Amino acid sequence: MSRVVVTGRVPDAAIEKLRAEHEVDAWSGPESIGREELLRRVAGADAVVSLLTERIDAELLDAAGPQLKVVANVAVGYDNIDVPACTERGIVATNTPGVLTDATADIALSLILMATRRLGEGERLIRSGQAWKWGMFFLLGSSLQGKTLGVVGMGGIGQATARRAKAFGMEIVYQSRSEIDPGVAAELGARRVDLNELLTVSDVVSLHCPYGPATHHLLGAEQLGAMKSSAYLVNTARGPIVDEAALASALREGRIAGAGLDVYEHEPRVHPELLELDNVVLLPHLGSATVETRTAMAMLAADNALAVLGGDRPPAPIG
Ligand code: GLV
């Protein structure tokens, strides 16, 4: 029997699955586990099932000890994990790709609709108690039909977002490290372009690339400046891909029309200027937040941990 530490609350089904085979120490406090408590609890763990809010770095791996075999993140993004530090110590790191693709693409499409149709503004107006009535020019947004979506990072979530946007009548261009399946590209009528062209031609730019040193501030003042002044930026990937201060200035000065964000550079803090602006929709990192998706993520993370503890290849190793 091995010792499994779960760093935050996850659906019961995953805990039960782990408990059927191993001793499980699962944090169940209402708040995130504090760093000191986390370092204390991981000591002697054979597996750590981590949430994206916990930093899994060399200090934590060393606090766990040399018996640690696997870090199973309950997220597709793994910028919270120092993967090279895991590899150096022979620890397998895993994530949860695939199971949250549709839920996250649904949120990307929601943000596209909310931003282009000014839905947050409308909702806030009604709730403010201000007088309003239907008017020919009241809260006019911008249509999607015939417009171009630029997808930055054409993995599973990027493709699922493109598929939804196509159903709304949008043309698709994408920027990606690698060529996608030609059948998918043909089905979507998607054209691969470089980032600069994507920014120049797109009416909506949606970010779906992983975060790391190569994508830190991928969209800064210069890139935002390359976008059309009528265009919108949507981010459901990771906050620091965008220079949030530069985005706030671009939105304030009308250099782009609007934005929809589910993630933030210094999460959970939101840049104070963004909070003052009407042309940005702000969601609290809800990309994968459905009961079904969170359950599937936790079950996949449990399967990853169980496989490694059993001496098998996990279903979703990182790298
Ligand atoms: C959520 O942000 C994830 O990476 O799963």
Side-chain angles (χ1 to χ4, degrees):
M1 199 183 252
S2 298
R3 189 171 124 75
V4 181
V5 171
V6 183
T7 71
R9 288 187 59 214
V10 299
D12 290 344
I15 299 290
E16 280 157 25
K17 187 160 199 182
L18 291 164
R19 258 199 192 126
E21 292 185 42
H22 300 290
E23 179 203 324
V24 178
D25 176 4
W27 175 255
S28 57
E31 306 282 340
S32 296
I33 190 168
R35 181 74 179 172
E36 289 310 311
E37 178 69 15
L38 178 61
L39 292 177
R40 203 177 58 71
R41 285 205 183 202
V42 294
D46 301 286
V48 172
V49 174
S50 54
L51 303 190
L52 59 83
T53 42
E54 266 62 71
R55 201 173 71 249
I56 308 296
D57 55 10
E59 181 191 34
L60 183 137
L61 300 175
D62 292 339
Q67 76 299 324
L68 181 62
K69 293 180 192 60
V70 54
V71 172
N73 216 31
V74 191
V76 65
Y78 49 83
D79 48 298
N80 59 312
I81 301 180
D82 184 340
V83 178
C86 289
T87 311
E88 271 165 32
R89 291 163 177 76
I91 298 163
V92 178
T94 66
N95 67 339
T96 61
V99 292
L100 44 63
T101 298
D102 284 321
T104 308
D106 288 347
I107 289 292
L109 211 277
S110 302
L111 283 172
I112 293 171
L113 288 167
M114 288 183 77
T116 57
R117 298 298 302 273
R118 304 177 63 181
L119 304 182
E121 278 179 81
E123 234 257 342
R124 284 194 296 278
L125 180 86
I126 297 245
R127 286 184 186 278
S128 75
Q130 257 177 270
W132 65 278
K133 63 177 183 192
W134 187 92
M136 181 61 79
F137 300 101
F138 176 58
L139 271 185
L140 297 192
S142 165
S143 297
L144 296 181
Q145 293 73 23
K147 301 280 174 60
T148 298
L149 173 70
V151 178
V152 179
M154 194 65 157
I157 301 172
Q159 290 177 29
T161 302
R163 195 164 287 119
R164 284 158 174 71
K166 185 176 160 59
F168 278 75
M170 298 189 81
E171 309 285 332
I172 312 296
V173 297
Y174 70 96
Q175 183 258 336
S176 197
R177 276 177 305 185
S178 43
E179 196 55 75
I180 61 166
D181 178 332
V184 173
E187 172 205 333
L188 295 171
R191 193 164 61 86
R192 189 175 175 202
V193 295
D194 64 24
L195 182 61
N196 199 50
E197 181 176 350
L198 181 144
L199 295 170
T200 315
V201 302
S202 296
D203 300 293
V204 178
V205 173
S206 191
L207 304 180
H208 300 285
C209 52
Y211 174 67
T215 55
H216 180 76
H217 284 189
L218 184 68
L219 265 73
E222 188 187 327
Q223 291 73 25
L224 292 164
M227 289 172 64
K228 298 181 188 179
S229 57
S230 55
Y232 298 81
L233 175 68
V234 165
N235 189 5
T236 53
R238 282 292 181 270
I241 298 171
V242 178
D243 178 341
E244 223 167 69
L247 174 63
S249 305
L251 288 166
R252 195 187 53 242
E253 291 161 17
R255 282 186 274 118
I256 64 171
L261 306 177
D262 190 41
V263 288
Y264 302 90
E265 188 168 355
H266 304 289
E267 212 169 297
R269 196 177 77 87
V270 177
H271 195 289
E273 267 192 62
L274 293 176
L275 296 170
E276 305 297 323
L277 294 169
D278 253 337
N279 55 350
V280 59
V281 178
L282 305 168
L283 297 183
H285 204 150
L286 297 179
S288 64
T290 72
V291 172
E292 296 86 347
T293 304
R294 288 284 163 81
T295 303
M297 290 164 70
M299 293 305 267
L300 178 51
D303 287 341
N304 279 324
L306 290 172
V308 177
L309 292 175
D312 295 325
R313 187 180 157 76
I318 291 170

